[in-house]
Amino acid sequence: MNNFKPADQIQDLQYFGEFGGVNPSITDSSTFTFLQAGKMEEVFEKEIEGCYLYSRHWNPMNRYLSQAIAKMEGTENASVTGSGMAAITNAILQICSAGDEIVSSRTIYGGTYAFFKNFLPRFGIKTTFVDSTNMDKVKAAITNKTKVIYCESISNPMLEVADLPNLAKIAKQFNCKLVVDNTFSPLMISPSILGADVVVHSMTKFINGSSDCVAGVVCGKKDFIDSLSDVNNGASMLLGPVLDSFRSASILKNLRTLHVRMKQHSSNALHIATKLSEDGHKVIYPGLPKHPQHQLLKTLWNEEYGFGGLFLIDMKTKERANHLMELMQESNVGYLAVSLGSYKTLFSAPGGSTSSEIPEEERKEIGLSEGLVRISMGLDNNPERTYQMIKKCLSLV
Ligand SMILES: *Cc1c(COP(=O)(O)O)cnc(C)c1O
């Protein structure tokens, strides 16, 4: 455990609007004027604080939101992007070149898996997938070409918890960067405090929390974040996944309530997962003592945010999984939809949807069966009532 208090870091940020507004003003501009031509040349060469050139490069609202997320993660800086995938692809392409290798956890978000497995080989970048809960296997996969060790702090969809301090140790030992996707556990886990070099998020999920937009962020050391927006070599500047300032503004406002929401997501999930498990259903949730990394998580977490808002029920077959989800939608437990971290409960069967990019054989190996239903608990006021609703649905399957 550590003494890092991410919510206090966010709370202490003060941004005023143009006329003393209590929220910062949105700059409704793609481009920015200069009083002296020489200053414009300078900004092309290096970042100058408070000086803006063009909105794909930086704009004030994206700076505010980036700074707030950097405070939350305890990194020197951050850079917001138009999606979580943009954050991941830009961070990786900034670090890796042709000939380099990545050692990645084998249980990761399907899109990231497809990017590593199918897309990066076109550019001569090879990925080895390993059981990242086994440090010997991680070490054995590293070669002198490895530049990145990649994992999710709590993995999608299997909810494996990464042993970040030990992975960080290995990364240091072999001179590679530990890149961690912290989408499932904002505030709950602070990967950078535990030794990660780069932290990425899909802000589409818990950070924004209202299922109304797609966004991402890369967090890291100042030099690394500056390199992303370098006009000659920066992945963000050149690939251009810019986040719109209006969206940045709304995400920043939602970030202000993230600590309240995370606690409610977690306590709801713990209540319902515990009860369903006691009823004899096969439930995977890091908050259950039988979860293989339950103890580990308790050594890594920022305790007040609990064990997270996601759990899985194994319904054994695809038909039963689908039946349960349809019943839960009909009875308004939530929505049958991909994505997570919303105020409303969302559920999907990852085997046939968000993880379908992973070949069947590999899905079997990691325990990703077709009968799994992933539930992202919403902010329901009365989790016992929701549990009773789910129990009734389960009795009908
Ligand atoms: C959703 C998700 C992503 C991708 O983010 P988008 O915002 O949809 O591009 C990446 N990693 C994880 C763990 C996710 O859940």
Side-chain angles (χ1 to χ4, degrees):
M1 233 172 303
N2 55 68
N3 291 317
F4 185 61
K5 297 279 180 243
D8 296 353
Q9 296 281 316
I10 297 172
Q11 187 189 324
D12 290 347
L13 290 170
Q14 243 185 2
Y15 300 130
F16 295 111
E18 201 176 358
F19 301 101
V22 295
N23 286 308
S25 306
I26 302 173
T27 42
D28 194 16
S29 299
S30 58
T31 189
F32 299 84
T33 59
F34 285 81
L35 292 176
Q36 295 125 12
K39 202 77 186 168
M40 184 186 274
E41 279 176 35
E42 262 182 68
V43 177
F44 260 94
E45 276 159 29
K46 67 174 192 7
E47 310 281 342
I48 300 177
E49 202 173 323
C51 217
Y52 295 94
L53 179 69
Y54 184 61
S55 232
R56 167 157 49 81
H57 184 242
W58 273 110
N59 61 60
M61 191 52 77
N62 285 358
R63 272 278 190 226
Y64 289 136
L65 179 60
S66 297
Q67 186 188 31
I69 302 283
K71 284 285 179 196
M72 175 180 87
E73 287 297 352
T75 56
E76 286 176 9
N77 207 345
S79 173
V80 295
T81 55
S83 71
M85 280 312 296
I88 294 162
T89 56
N90 281 262
I92 294 294
L93 290 171
Q94 194 65 30
I95 300 169
C96 295
S97 306
D100 291 342
E101 294 182 6
I102 298 166
V103 171
S104 170
S105 163
R106 59 186 187 170
T107 87
I108 52 171
Y109 175 68
T112 313
Y113 181 90
F115 176 65
F116 287 170
K117 176 125 179 168
N118 308 330
F119 199 92
L120 284 181
R122 290 166 49 191
F123 303 95
I125 300 166
K126 183 190 146 193
T127 303
T128 310
F129 295 95
V130 297
D131 174 358
S132 62
T133 62
N134 183 328
M135 297 304 134
D136 293 333
K137 291 201 171 150
V138 174
K139 272 190 205 167
I142 293 175
T143 73
N144 58 6
K145 294 176 182 163
T146 307
K147 284 279 162 65
V148 166
I149 298 176
Y150 187 93
C151 70
E152 293 171 357
S153 29
I154 297 188
S155 77
N156 184 2
M158 297 309 294
L159 309 179
E160 271 178 14
V161 181
D163 186 349
L164 296 173
N166 277 316
L167 289 169
K169 234 182 255 166
I170 296 174
K172 265 215 178 67
Q173 186 187 342
F174 292 94
N175 202 21
C176 26
K177 281 192 156 63
L178 176 62
V179 180
V180 178
D181 181 336
N182 199 27
T183 299
F184 278 30
S185 44
L187 296 175
M188 239 180 94
I189 297 180
S190 303
S192 160
I193 305 295
L194 300 169
D197 299 288
V198 177
V199 182
V200 292
H201 277 279
S202 165
M203 297 199 291
T204 313
K205 318 294 169 54
F206 289 104
I207 291 179
N208 184 54
S210 44
S211 297
D212 56 1
C213 72
V214 172
V217 63
V218 185
C219 314
K221 288 234 162 19
K222 185 181 183 307
D223 285 354
F224 180 68
I225 299 302
D226 283 351
S227 76
L228 288 170
S229 58
D230 184 288
V231 293
N232 294 306
N233 294 297
S236 297
M237 186 60 184
L238 300 177
L239 300 173
V242 67
L243 182 61
D244 184 77
S245 13
F246 280 84
R247 271 310 176 190
S248 242
S250 67
I251 297 169
L252 180 58
K253 282 173 276 187
N254 287 350
L255 180 70
R256 297 289 194 175
T257 60
L258 181 62
H259 57 298
V260 182
R261 291 185 281 116
M262 285 309 288
K263 290 175 193 173
Q264 186 81 20
H265 284 299
S266 286
S267 63
N268 284 354
L270 181 63
H271 181 90
I272 296 169
T274 303
K275 290 241 163 165
L276 292 173
S277 178
E278 284 168 4
D279 290 345
H281 297 288
K282 198 176 163 207
V283 178
I284 301 175
Y285 182 60
L288 300 176
K290 66 177 177 193
H291 185 282
Q293 290 97 31
H294 176 73
Q295 286 306 328
L296 170 68
L297 178 53
K298 285 178 155 184
T299 67
L300 306 179
W301 67 357
N302 300 316
E303 186 172 355
E304 59 192 308
Y305 304 103
F307 297 97
L310 284 123
F311 65 90
L312 299 156
I313 309 182
D314 192 347
M315 297 302 291
K316 307 285 188 311
T317 68
K318 186 175 167 173
E319 290 66 34
R320 295 183 75 233
N322 288 347
H323 191 192
L324 175 68
M325 291 192 294
E326 285 164 12
L327 287 171
M328 288 200 297
Q329 178 155 261
E330 275 164 32
S331 54
N332 202 11
V333 169
Y335 300 129
L336 202 181
V338 296
S339 200
L340 54 111
S342 186
Y343 56 86
K344 184 90 176 177
T345 297
L346 301 178
F347 37 82
S348 55
S353 59
T354 49
S355 297
S356 57
E357 295 92 338
I358 303 174
E360 199 182 330
E361 229 167 81
E362 288 171 50
R363 274 185 262 155
K364 207 170 262 169
E365 212 170 284
I366 61 180
L368 208 175
S369 89
E370 282 194 327
L372 284 179
V373 175
R374 184 187 72 189
I375 299 183
S376 167
M377 268 313 301
L379 299 174
D380 308 20
N381 184 50
N382 181 353
E384 177 57 27
R385 176 173 172 266
T386 307
Y387 158 68
Q388 294 296 342
M389 287 158 76
I390 298 175
K391 190 176 162 182
K392 184 154 180 233
C393 295
L394 277 162
S395 73
L396 297 172
V397 176

